[in-house]
Amino acid sequence: QVQLRESGGGSVQAGGSLRLSCQISGSFYPTHCMGWFRQAPGKEREGVAAIDSDGTPHYADFVEGRFTVSRDNAKNHLDLQMDSLKPEDSAMYYCATAADCGWIMHVLSNFINSAQGTQVTVSS
């Protein structure tokens, strides 16, 4: 079983930055994808960013170059640097792993491992 522990959420004003981190342990395959999805109240879950084991990143269109996903394979660690945050970025953010990054970006719940989430609130 894969265990994931997120940190780094919080409150920030529009235009500000936050860095989310995720430590992964347990039965994690190093070749698997790591990533993030989010869910705002009353909205569907949506993939935010994911990164393959070779470092290839994938981003949702709404990221528009504002976020950077990175991973440290030696430490099974994942980060998401979020800059130029907007109020519409406010949501619970979840760290996830899966055999394929597409499963994270499309938030296919049956095929991904995820944690409890960390709240991001962006005020205008």
Side-chain angles (χ1 to χ4, degrees):
Q1 192 168 359
V2 178
Q3 288 88 44
L4 307 98
R5 186 176 74 250
E6 302 121 335
S7 60
S11 298
V12 66
Q13 289 191 328
S17 299
L18 283 173
R19 188 176 185 88
L20 305 183
S21 294
C22 180
Q23 185 62 52
I24 300 161
S25 60
S27 303
F28 173 69
Y29 290 93
T31 58
H32 279 195
C33 181
M34 301 178 182
W36 300 88
F37 64 92
R38 71 186 187 184
Q39 187 170 26
K43 295 189 176 181
E44 296 290 321
R45 289 180 294 182
E46 56 185 357
V48 177
I51 184 166
D52 287 304
S53 58
D54 66 359
T56 301
H58 308 269
Y59 296 101
D61 290 343
F62 61 77
V63 169
E64 299 175 322
R66 301 178 296 125
F67 299 175
T68 303
V69 64
S70 60
R71 65 188 278 172
D72 184 333
N73 289 335
K75 298 180 179 179
N76 284 348
H77 188 86
L78 173 72
D79 286 319
L80 182 68
Q81 176 66 38
M82 302 188 293
D83 299 317
S84 302
L85 283 162
K86 305 175 182 179
E88 51 263 43
D89 292 318
S90 297
M92 188 71 79
Y93 283 70
Y94 299 87
C95 173
T97 65
D100 189 285
C101 282
W103 297 353
I104 294 175
M105 296 306 293
H106 289 93
V107 199
L108 301 180
S109 301
N110 290 341
F111 300 98
I112 63 176
N113 300 293
S114 61
Q116 294 185 349
T118 185
Q119 180 67 42
V120 170
T121 302
V122 184
S123 57
S124 57

